[in-house]
Amino acid sequence: MTISFEGRVAIVTGAGGGLGRAYALELARRGAKVVVNDLGAARDGTGHSDAALKVVEEIEQAGGIAMSNGGSVTDMDQMSEMVAKAKEAWGGVHILINNAGILRDKSFTKMTMDDWRLVVDVHLTGSATATKAVWDMMREQNYGRILMTASSTGLYGNFGQANYGAAKLGLAGLTKTLYLEGAKYNVKVNTIAPVAGTRMTEDIFPAEAFKAFAPENVVPAALFLVSDDAPTNQIVGAGAGFFHTAHVTMTKGKMLAAEDRTPEGVAAHWSEISDRDGETVPKSGADQSMTILQSLQG
């Protein structure tokens, strides 16, 4: 089976370099018309460049079709204008990959609230803003594929990245609601947690590991998750050719007798409450309530 994007229009944010560039190039190679969105900013969110234009040139030189866009994902008007231009030129938008991001890494004790707000604004609110700009169109055309970018920091934690981790886990949570709201309109929403050697990680990886974690090794998972036959509500990790899924699970739990519904009772039954044997993966938040109701009836 060959996955093709012929006839599809894709927007990739933060596509001037790294992962976004790799996504844009491969989407175009497989037939998509691509909006290459990038501020051309340094990883701390400052400065400008013609990064997006260079990626468009690469796509066009390879025979593909693309347009550049310099809008900020934090600006609703600019995202709406980007989507309107894509629709005017190519008839609609079928795919959105939310990839734009910056870092302001500091331990929480040294982190200012400005550092917090900026990272959360770009990653979490920025992804919501870009998604909001395409959402109604995707519903109306009964087709949409949206990919959020989480991180192992959001899923599992990482010292010195409280702002980044909070934003990234927030994106996984956003996915879990949007997949429900988009289901009847054939809008599928997934999350990728990439590990890649990019300008945001070049001083973190050793030189050899940096090569192994080339962005191109994340692309297969990302493009599968925005393809026609993609699953939905998945969290997929990808890096260096290794792929896995991650899940938010729920243990079987323990219904406590009335006399045990105290902090001491929870402590006494903690091993049963936290026992992961037989844990499940809820399909929505309602599953938690249903499990409690079933326990009450049992």
Side-chain angles (χ1 to χ4, degrees), residues 8 72 127 131 224 236 258 262 276:
R8 301 302 185 196
S72 170
S127 295
T131 300
F224 168 66
V236 177
T262 63
R276 299 193 64 175

Side-chain angles (χ1 to χ4, degrees), residues 15-16 36-38 40 49-57 67-70:
V36 180
N37 165 266
D38 199 271
S49 79
D50 58 355
L53 287 170
K54 290 180 179 177
V55 177
V56 169
E57 282 182 22
M67 71 168 71
S68 66
N69 176 271

Side-chain angles (χ1 to χ4, degrees), residues 255-297:
M255 177 63 72
L256 298 184
E259 62 271 18
D260 287 335
R261 293 171 193 172
T262 63
E264 294 79 9
V266 172
H269 292 279
W270 182 247
S271 62
E272 297 165 273
I273 293 168
S274 61
D275 182 5
R276 299 193 64 175
D277 185 43
E279 66 184 1
T280 58
V281 179
K283 289 183 171 58
S284 76
D287 286 10
Q288 180 186 24
S289 300
M290 290 303 299
T291 299
I292 294 171
L293 289 170
Q294 288 168 4
S295 296
L296 286 169
Q297 293 167 359

Side-chain angles (χ1 to χ4, degrees), residues 155-292:
L155 299 176
Y156 314 118
N158 194 34
F159 188 94
Q161 290 192 310
N163 48 5
Y164 182 74
K168 290 305 193 183
L169 190 56
L171 285 166
L174 178 59
T175 293
K176 289 187 171 296
T177 288
L178 292 187
Y179 104 89
L180 292 167
E181 294 187 10
K184 67 183 287 187
Y185 304 99
N186 190 27
V187 178
K188 296 182 178 181
V189 190
N190 290 292
T191 303
I192 192 163
V195 183
T198 69
R199 66 181 178 179
M200 288 179 66
T201 57
E202 62 188 343
D203 53 358
I204 298 173
F205 288 121
E208 287 306 308
F210 188 81
K211 293 178 184 177
F213 286 101
E216 289 72 18
N217 286 323
V218 175
V219 171
L223 266 61
F224 168 66
L225 292 172
V226 295
S227 66
D228 284 356
D229 295 325
T232 191
N233 189 33
Q234 297 297 305
I235 302 171
V236 177
F242 179 80
F243 305 92
H244 70 92
T245 60
H247 303 276
V248 178
T249 66
M250 181 176 172
T251 65
K252 291 171 68 175
K254 172 74 174 177
M255 177 63 72
L256 298 184
E259 62 271 18
D260 287 335
R261 293 171 193 172
T262 63
E264 294 79 9
V266 172
H269 292 279
W270 182 247
S271 62
E272 297 165 273
I273 293 168
S274 61
D275 182 5
R276 299 193 64 175
D277 185 43
E279 66 184 1
T280 58
V281 179
K283 289 183 171 58
S284 76
D287 286 10
Q288 180 186 24
S289 300
M290 290 303 299
T291 299
I292 294 171

